[in-house]
Amino acid sequence: MWIKVGAGLSAVIAVLFFSACTCTMRRRTNLRTEEIANIREEQSLDLAGRATVGDDYSDKDIKGEVTSQDLPLIRLDVINEATKQFSDENKLGQGGFGPVYRGTLEDGKEVAVKRLSRTSGQGQREFLNEVLLIARLQHRNLVRLLRCCLEKNEKLLIYEYMPNKSLDVFLFGSRNGVLLDWQRRLSIINGIARGLLYLHEDSRLRIIHRDLKASNILLDYEMNPKISDFGMARIFDGNQSEANTNRIVGTYGYMAPEYAMAGLFSVKSDVFSFGVLLLEIISGKKNVGFHLSEEGESLLTFAWKLWSDGQGLELMDSMLEKSSAATEVLRCIHIGLLCVQEDPADRPTMSSVLHMLASDTIALPIPKQPAFSIGRFVAMEGQSSNQKVCSGNELTISVLSPR
């Protein structure tokens, strides 16, 4: 009798022990799988982040990343034919990345081809960053990366072609501004805001562009804006809200003060750049090189003074007098001034900006005076600033040495 009971208890204990071991092994396996997935995701995010802060990457690194993104490849001979062997007549411009060419594929489709300069280490990082980021982004207000070519030491990115070039050509050209009436400019403002909102909040990655400006806004056949050039962009993961870098990249006049002076960037630094761009669209004037006084007053401080004195409409481009509505122009100036406030905490998010643009009944807070001089500082002895100015469909970069 006791022998049978003992045998039964032993069997039950054995079953329970086996079950416990099985559960433990499954939990460990699941945890290990989850850990591997997290590590891979962190490595992907880290690689994308490091691509903008000065690390070098071999051809093997780049080819591996392009393959991992499942980006369609295109043969070099097809691109050679499309660009007429990269002829000067098809060259759209020159950037820190390298030259950009117009091409026509066999089916008649027009494309823009970015060709990595073989002597540009900076372009190598930008190339990898664009592959990692923009290949995974889809939005009507972001330029689309179509294909990639990696043959015979050539590294080429193939984009949709933007026939109307970039926004700065229309805003700051001697006669082109007349082609942008108020409704068209308002549409462009809203399109840029929607593209930024997608990058900051609606895409599966939280992305800080870091080089938003008029020359990086391309215009399609219908003058719809598309944000381009993601070589300087950075990914934020999880609940990360800001980061710091020793490598300041961007463009004079568009950089938020906390970024230009201390290397601190966040979604609010993009909002600042958007505010500068908004005031440029309204005024038809560049913030860079804008001087109306011996003190070197910027477009931002000039706009704030006019608005504070109740003379905001004096900022408006004279070409808009017949097509604009005064209340809409003044509201947009107000929103632009909110975006360029010195303290990042005072600036709205892009979702708030879109709400303010969409409704004339939302009460707007009073903006504080913007920083006196934006994006300008003197490098310390032994340091230098390097500004590369490009045009059209190219990337424009100013690499600054922080003090």
Side-chain angles (χ1 to χ4, degrees):
M1 178 66 179
W2 290 107
I3 293 176
K4 290 181 180 180
V5 171
L9 288 173
S10 298
V12 171
I13 292 171
V15 170
L16 291 174
F17 178 76
F18 178 77
S19 299
C21 289
T22 302
C23 289
T24 300
M25 291 178 65
R26 283 179 180 174
R27 283 183 63 189
R28 287 180 177 176
T29 300
N30 290 337
L31 286 172
R32 180 60 180 161
T33 301
E34 185 176 346
E35 288 174 0
I36 292 173
N38 289 336
I39 290 171
R40 286 177 177 170
E41 182 177 0
E42 288 172 2
Q43 288 175 337
S44 176
L45 291 170
D46 182 56
L47 182 58
R50 287 190 293 113
T52 65
V53 295
D55 289 353
D56 293 325
Y57 297 94
S58 66
D59 288 355
K60 184 178 179 181
D61 292 330
I62 291 178
K63 288 179 181 178
E65 287 304 317
V66 170
T67 302
S68 72
Q69 299 303 315
D70 296 324
L71 184 63
L73 298 177
I74 189 169
R75 299 195 318 272
L76 180 58
D77 63 308
V78 174
I79 296 301
N80 282 332
E81 180 69 22
T83 61
K84 297 181 180 179
Q85 305 296 324
F86 298 101
S87 65
D88 288 341
E89 65 182 81
N90 279 344
K91 189 174 181 179
L92 296 171
Q94 178 80 28
F97 178 100
V100 182
Y101 296 87
R102 177 179 178 176
T104 305
L105 302 179
E106 294 178 352
D107 60 1
K109 183 180 182 63
E110 291 184 306
V111 294
V113 181
K114 278 188 176 183
R115 187 184 194 186
L116 175 64
S117 172
R118 298 180 184 180
T119 61
S120 173
Q122 183 182 52
Q124 187 108 328
R125 293 189 296 272
E126 294 165 15
F127 184 97
L128 180 55
N129 211 42
E130 294 227 16
V131 169
L132 286 166
L133 290 179
I134 199 169
R136 293 182 281 178
L137 302 175
Q138 295 291 331
H139 190 273
R140 68 189 302 267
N141 294 117
L142 303 183
V143 69
R144 284 202 309 132
L145 178 62
L146 303 176
R147 296 190 179 189
C148 180
C149 179
L150 297 168
E151 286 184 35
K152 298 180 180 179
N153 294 321
E154 290 279 9
K155 296 180 181 65
L156 308 171
L157 292 176
I158 292 80
Y159 290 89
E160 57 179 333
Y161 176 66
M162 296 289 106
N164 285 313
K165 300 183 180 179
S166 54
L167 180 59
D168 62 324
V169 174
F170 287 88
L171 279 182
F172 312 131
S174 57
R175 297 182 180 179
N176 290 332
V178 72
L179 301 176
L180 293 179
D181 62 15
W182 174 245
Q183 287 306 312
R184 177 60 64 192
R185 296 192 197 202
L186 190 57
S187 175
I188 289 172
I189 290 168
N190 277 281
I192 298 169
R194 285 192 293 269
L196 268 186
L197 176 63
Y198 173 78
L199 293 177
H200 291 176
E201 298 182 26
D202 294 341
S203 70
R204 67 189 187 90
L205 306 169
R206 178 180 292 181
I207 296 170
I208 315 301
H209 188 279
R210 294 206 301 172
D211 199 25
L212 187 72
K213 58 188 173 183
S215 61
N216 281 345
I217 304 299
L218 305 185
L219 302 171
D220 68 10
Y221 286 95
E222 298 178 347
M223 300 294 283
N224 295 311
K226 293 179 183 283
I227 300 172
S228 69
D229 290 314
F230 287 79
M232 296 296 106
R234 289 288 297 270
I235 293 176
F236 278 3
D237 59 314
N239 295 320
Q240 185 180 6
S241 60
E242 63 181 20
N244 186 276
T245 179
N246 290 323
R247 182 172 178 259
I248 312 284
V249 295
T251 303
Y252 289 114
Y254 291 91
M255 287 187 287
E258 72 277 5
Y259 180 50
M261 304 303 291
L264 190 66
F265 64 92
S266 66
V267 293
K268 294 298 185 72
S269 50
D270 272 357
V271 170
F272 182 95
S273 301
F274 173 81
V276 176
L277 186 52
L278 176 50
L279 294 174
E280 288 185 333
I281 292 172
I282 293 170
S283 66
K285 297 179 176 64
K286 294 182 181 180
N287 186 38
V288 179
F290 180 90
H291 299 293
L292 287 182
S293 67
E294 293 181 358
E295 291 79 13
E297 187 172 48
S298 71
L299 175 64
L300 312 186
T301 52
F302 178 66
W304 186 83
K305 288 179 181 178
L306 288 177
W307 180 85
S308 298
D309 294 338
Q311 300 174 335
L313 289 178
E314 291 188 18
L315 181 72
M316 182 179 66
D317 191 334
S318 60
M319 297 181 183
L320 298 177
E321 290 179 359
K322 295 182 180 179
S323 64
S324 63
T327 54
E328 290 181 345
V329 173
L330 288 172
R331 188 171 182 84
C332 284
I333 293 173
H334 194 154
I335 294 170
L337 291 172
L338 289 172
C339 292
V340 297
Q341 294 178 103
E342 187 167 5
D343 189 341
D346 293 332
R347 300 171 205 154
T349 61
M350 287 313 302
S351 58
S352 296
V353 168
L354 273 168
H355 284 306
M356 290 187 286
L357 287 169
S359 173
D360 56 4
T361 60
I362 298 176
L364 304 182
I366 303 299
K368 299 176 183 177
Q369 183 173 4
F372 179 75
S373 182
I374 303 301
R376 272 187 251 140
F377 52 90
V378 180
M380 295 174 63
E381 185 177 355
Q383 296 179 323
S384 63
S385 63
N386 177 24
Q387 184 179 25
K388 298 182 179 179
V389 181
C390 317
S391 61
N393 288 321
E394 316 150 27
L395 173 69
T396 306
I397 309 164
S398 299
V399 181
L400 311 175
S401 300
R403 63 181 179 183

